């Protein structure tokens, strides 16, 4: 059994706790044992999972891996702490708010001989797998992907492109490497409105 800890108990963290405590029979999750969760807020217990301090999670010899589900801004620092402590790390996308930091973290994981995995759960859903089957073997001529959401706190989530990085991952997985040809941003502070529009080109243009 691999001892694990969940760091952050927002929507993603709570889902991790639920899935680790109720693994699908015969799935790899059956080999993971949740030993606690870390949060800045005080919860006590969640579904029999006990709250532990970050320091205890880093020191524990029983914990071999951390699931990081905090806000984007803190991913980089939290990954570094757990890699330094000799733990494997799974982190919700994005790994960091800059490519430079991400490369440094990959190198650090390699030096420590630890797994550093960035999770994008949407790529594992049946709906996405069906979409991928539909586009396989076809040439993309032109397409538009539009999505909406609530206004994000940029201090926690990073530049708006990061709130759309999941969809960018979709496009790269479906159509290969992309080149940004243009990007614009519109903000209306009085209406609490923001829109980012990005144009990409595939390798075969």
């Amino acid at each position: 059994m691999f001892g694990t800890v969940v760091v952050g108990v927002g929507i993603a963290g709570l889902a991790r706790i639920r899935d680790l405590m109720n693994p699908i029979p015969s799935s790899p999750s059956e080999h993971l044992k949740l030993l606690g969760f870390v949060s800045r807020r005080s919860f006590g217990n969640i579904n029999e999972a006990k709250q532990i301090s970050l320091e205890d999670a880093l020191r524990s010899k029983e914990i071999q891996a951390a699931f990081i589900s905090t806000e984007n801004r803190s991913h980089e620092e939290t990954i570094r702490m757990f890699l330094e402590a000799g733990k494997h790390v799974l982190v919700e996308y994005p790994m960091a708010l800059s490519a430079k930091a991400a490369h440094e973290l990959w190198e650090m994981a390699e030096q420590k001989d630890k797994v550093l995995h960035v999770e994008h759960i949407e790529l594992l859903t049946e709906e996405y797998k069906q979409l991928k089957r539909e586009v396989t073997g076809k040439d993309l001529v032109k397409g538009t992907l539009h999505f909406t959401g609530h206004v994000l706190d940029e201090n926690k989530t990073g530049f708006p492109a990061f709130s759309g990085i999941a969809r960018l991952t979709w496009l790269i997985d479906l159509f290969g490497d992309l080149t940004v040809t243009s990007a614009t941003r519109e903000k209306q502070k009085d209406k609490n409105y923001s829109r980012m529009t990005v144009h990409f080109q595939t390798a075969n243009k």
Side-chain angles (χ1 to χ4, degrees), residues 1-2 19-20 22-33:
M1 295 291 284
F2 238 55
D19 294 344
L20 287 166
N22 301 283
I24 297 171
S26 301
S27 73
S29 295
E30 283 196 315
H31 301 288
L32 302 175
K33 182 178 182 182

Side-chain angles (χ1 to χ4, degrees), residues 56-64 87:
D56 286 345
L58 292 167
R59 278 197 303 261
S60 173
K61 289 187 168 64
E62 293 181 308
I63 293 174
Q64 288 96 30
K87 319 287 187 190

Side-chain angles (χ1 to χ4, degrees), residues 17 20 22 27 31 51 66-67 89 91 93 99 120 126 131 145 152 158 160 165 167:
I17 292 172
L20 287 166
N22 301 283
S27 73
H31 301 288
Q51 184 167 3
F67 289 73
V89 176
V91 62
Y93 64 84
H120 184 0
E126 284 307 315
L131 176 62
L145 181 63
L152 299 171
I165 203 167
R167 275 64 189 187

